[in-house]
Amino acid sequence: MYTHYFQLKQSPFSIAPDPRYLFMSERHREALAHLLYGVGSGGGFVLLTGEIGAGKTTVCRCFMEQIPENCQLAYIFNPKLSVEELLLSICEEFRIALAPGVASVKGYVDAINVHLLASHAQGKNNVLIIDEAQNLSAAVLEQLRLLTNLETSERKLLQIILIGQPELRAMLARPELEQLAQRVIARYHLGSLTADETASYIRHRLAVAGSTAQTPFAPRLMAHIHALSKGVPRRINLLCDRALLGAYVENQPQVTRQILRRAAEEVFAEEGTPVAGRGLRWPHVAGGVLAGALVTAALAWHFMPSPSAVPAVPVLAASVPAASAVVAAAASVPAPVSVPDRNAVLRQLAALWGEQLPAGDACQAGARAGLRCLHSRGGIAELRVLDRPALLTLRDGEGREQLALLTRLQDEMATLMLDGKQQSLPLAQLAQRSDGGFTTFWRAPRSWRDEVPLGARGADVDWLAQRLAQQRGLPAPAANLPLDAEMQGQLRAFQQSQNLRADGLAGPKTYIRLMQLGDNTEPRLSSAAPAVAAPAATAMVAGK
């Protein structure tokens, strides 16, 4: 999705073990050296452990490519097996022919012993690799130890490499497995990357993916990426992949600290620990590109209140210019003869705001004009709440993609610019043809920040305090008040009343509703409402 945007040939942070992206840090090279040493030392067990995503499989694959030609290799990656199942898997991996009717532990062990002796006579070594070995039962581990009993006067005939998570070390420390632990001839725990190695790892993967333009990760972010990912390669991949998606969605040439922090909150959400410094911020807009529609649009819109049902809000006495300028600009826009591409439709959408955007990326041009793009997948239900025109992606009867500009929503019908013509479409049909995704514009207050920590002061906090007070019918608060727990509580109550996520975070959708309840100069999907007064803070709206 974002590869073309960042001029990449492919996704640089896939978690698939692609050998082209092999990055061997000092620790990975040491781990590989331990495996190679174990193979040449004459048998027994070799132990490689590391945290999830540390690169154990990467080291293993590199090792498998470097083993001597006289080694026969068996690889088992699903060790949740019984003793009989494991022995059968070993026979299959070494391509050991079993006599008809052999289906017992003794039969499998005898066949393995015959194979090992025959291989030794031919000057060949046998190496068994078991990945995810922390899942082995004590009984299976004991059977593996017994397999290593077969030996000559010079060496054991089977080399076993156990690869697993740190729990594997604890397992081998049990008293009942002491005999196996004594046969471990080499062991290595693969640690995480250092901060410098993390930066080198990211640059390496971007280079392999074909990056020739400006790097999407500024050098100043590398230490932050290392801290959030803990230097674990798989965590780095997950974090950087989601951060690139976030930058693409927000039309940013580089990943910002805020985008990175939101990406971390999303991909590491299951850890249950908040990212340091979290305050008011945007909702997970980037995550919305990947998430499914919140509800089926055909049903959800029916349960959401229409904007006309929102109670009237007392406002402070302060006049604002009438909406005639915007309405006139919208009326003067000629009906397009076609809908050639997404940017063309977004330029039509911007015209409803009184903005004539130049050719090129409409979201970037809109940002320069004070209009920010908002991408979401809440479908018709969410558009009823936000009450503003939007670009929709539809499918026709043959599954072909169509771009439409939604300009009006009524109880049963929607009005769209589609195929160069204004059309009316029943909402049931619209729900069937839409995947729930949409793009719209919104204006942010000046000095707006996408992350405001508790205790912060500033023009955006003043604007938020004024609008919340206005919504509650209270006098305008004093200027330069800090963002405190009380204001966050008011924000949550407002979000809940507007059918928004009540998380106390002032994102684009919350700003949209706060503006609409005190300002009628923005284009809407519902019937035009009479202009209302707004506080002096309206002057803070970008572009006005």
Side-chain angles (χ1 to χ4, degrees):
M1 179 179 293
Y2 58 72
T3 52
H4 180 71
Y5 181 80
F6 288 109
Q7 301 179 39
L8 300 170
K9 296 178 181 178
Q10 56 193 175
S11 176
F13 297 105
S14 169
I15 61 174
D18 190 333
R20 292 174 299 174
Y21 288 89
L22 177 64
F23 177 84
M24 296 293 285
S25 70
E26 180 180 356
R27 290 157 185 77
H28 289 82
R29 288 192 292 269
E30 290 177 357
L32 177 60
H34 277 71
L35 296 184
L36 292 172
Y37 165 78
V39 170
S41 63
F45 288 86
V46 176
L47 187 65
L48 173 62
T49 58
E51 296 291 346
I52 297 174
K56 301 183 297 295
T57 301
T58 298
V59 172
C60 179
R61 287 177 179 271
C62 188
F63 163 74
M64 291 166 65
E65 294 175 357
Q66 298 186 35
I67 60 173
E69 293 182 358
N70 67 330
C71 283
Q72 297 184 112
L73 187 66
Y75 180 74
I76 296 176
F77 59 90
N78 179 26
K80 285 190 175 182
L81 305 170
S82 65
V83 171
E84 292 84 358
E85 291 171 336
L86 178 70
L87 291 173
L88 177 59
S89 296
I90 293 173
C91 291
E92 293 173 345
E93 285 293 315
F94 280 129
R95 299 182 180 180
I96 299 173
L98 297 173
V102 173
S104 65
V105 171
K106 183 179 185 304
Y108 295 141
V109 171
D110 289 344
I112 292 172
N113 286 342
V114 170
H115 170 77
L116 294 177
L117 288 170
S119 297
H120 176 69
Q122 298 172 9
K124 296 180 179 179
N125 297 330
N126 291 275
V127 179
L128 170 63
I129 300 176
I130 301 181
D131 207 350
E132 301 295 336
Q134 76 278 354
N135 294 320
L136 294 171
S137 66
V140 170
L141 285 169
E142 175 60 16
Q143 181 60 62
L144 289 173
R145 183 189 70 82
L146 294 175
L147 287 179
T148 63
N149 282 341
L150 188 60
E151 57 188 9
T152 67
S153 58
E154 299 176 351
R155 60 179 298 131
K156 292 185 178 295
L157 300 184
L158 180 62
Q159 176 82 65
I160 300 178
I161 297 176
L162 300 179
I163 301 175
Q165 297 171 24
E167 303 95 280
L168 180 59
R169 292 187 297 177
M171 289 174 57
L172 298 185
R174 297 176 186 172
E176 64 267 28
L177 295 175
E178 182 179 359
Q179 293 186 68
L180 188 153
Q182 291 177 357
R183 297 190 182 186
V184 176
I185 60 174
R187 63 181 71 205
Y188 188 83
H189 181 73
L190 186 59
S192 58
L193 302 179
T194 65
D196 289 340
E197 288 172 339
T198 297
S200 298
Y201 176 84
I202 293 172
R203 290 193 295 267
H204 167 74
R205 295 191 72 97
L206 287 170
V208 173
S211 175
T212 57
Q214 179 188 31
T215 175
F217 295 97
R220 64 179 180 275
L221 282 185
M222 294 302 183
H224 197 41
I225 294 174
H226 177 261
L228 291 171
S229 66
K230 303 177 183 178
V232 177
R234 187 178 300 166
R235 289 171 61 94
I236 296 172
N237 287 359
L238 292 171
L239 176 61
C240 290
D241 181 75
R242 193 56 55 87
L244 287 178
L245 178 62
Y248 162 76
V249 167
E250 298 189 14
N251 292 281
Q252 295 291 331
Q254 284 189 311
V255 173
T256 65
R257 180 176 287 266
Q258 290 76 20
I259 291 174
L260 185 66
R261 189 169 294 167
R262 290 198 298 273
E265 290 174 351
E266 184 170 354
V267 298
F268 304 142
E270 294 182 359
E271 297 178 3
T273 55
V275 177
R278 179 176 176 176
L280 287 184
R281 57 169 180 78
W282 285 22
H284 294 169
V285 177
V289 174
L290 298 178
L294 298 179
V295 289
T296 302
L299 296 176
W301 74 268
H302 180 72
F303 298 100
M304 302 295 281
S306 65
S308 59
V310 177
V313 179
V315 296
L316 301 179
S319 61
V320 296
S324 56
V326 174
V327 174
S332 65
V333 178
V337 296
S338 64
V339 184
D341 59 28
R342 178 172 295 271
N343 287 319
V345 181
L346 288 176
R347 285 193 289 272
Q348 296 172 21
L349 177 60
L352 300 180
W353 293 75
E355 299 289 349
Q356 301 296 325
L357 301 183
D361 190 302
C363 283
Q364 292 182 1
R368 292 190 291 269
L371 293 177
R372 295 175 179 264
C373 276
L374 170 65
H375 310 274
S376 187
R377 296 188 69 87
I380 303 302
E382 190 170 60
L383 282 170
R384 279 194 181 276
V385 174
L386 298 180
D387 191 21
R388 61 189 48 225
L391 179 154
L392 306 180
T393 301
L394 308 179
R395 297 284 177 180
D396 64 12
E398 298 180 0
R400 293 173 300 193
E401 182 177 287
Q402 294 178 303
L403 298 178
L405 178 60
L406 177 66
T407 58
R408 181 81 180 275
L409 267 183
Q410 296 172 290
D411 290 342
E412 302 289 341
M413 302 292 292
T415 303
L416 310 98
M417 292 301 303
L418 180 63
D419 294 332
K421 299 179 295 184
Q422 180 171 296
Q423 301 183 25
S424 293
L425 194 66
L427 290 182
Q429 292 185 24
L430 180 62
Q432 292 175 353
R433 296 175 59 181
S434 171
D435 64 357
F438 64 83
T439 300
T440 188
F441 284 121
W442 71 289
R443 290 193 190 274
R446 286 181 182 159
S447 302
W448 179 81
R449 293 169 283 182
D450 70 346
E451 184 170 326
V452 184
L454 285 174
R457 305 171 189 264
D460 51 351
V461 178
D462 289 345
W463 186 93
L464 185 63
Q466 288 183 5
R467 287 298 172 111
L468 288 173
Q470 171 187 324
Q471 189 269 337
R472 300 170 64 207
L474 300 176
N480 203 35
L481 291 176
L483 172 64
D484 55 15
E486 181 181 357
M487 191 182 301
Q488 276 198 324
Q490 296 172 6
L491 186 58
R492 288 191 183 93
F494 172 77
Q495 291 169 328
Q496 187 171 14
S497 72
Q498 300 299 310
N499 293 301
L500 300 172
R501 182 189 299 174
D503 54 9
L505 305 176
K509 297 170 188 177
T510 300
Y511 275 104
I512 287 171
R513 291 304 294 151
L514 282 170
M515 288 180 175
Q516 287 175 334
L517 295 178
D519 185 353
N520 196 37
T521 64
E522 297 180 344
R524 298 196 179 202
L525 285 174
S526 60
S527 300
V532 296
T538 303
M540 295 173 57
V541 177
K544 293 190 178 182

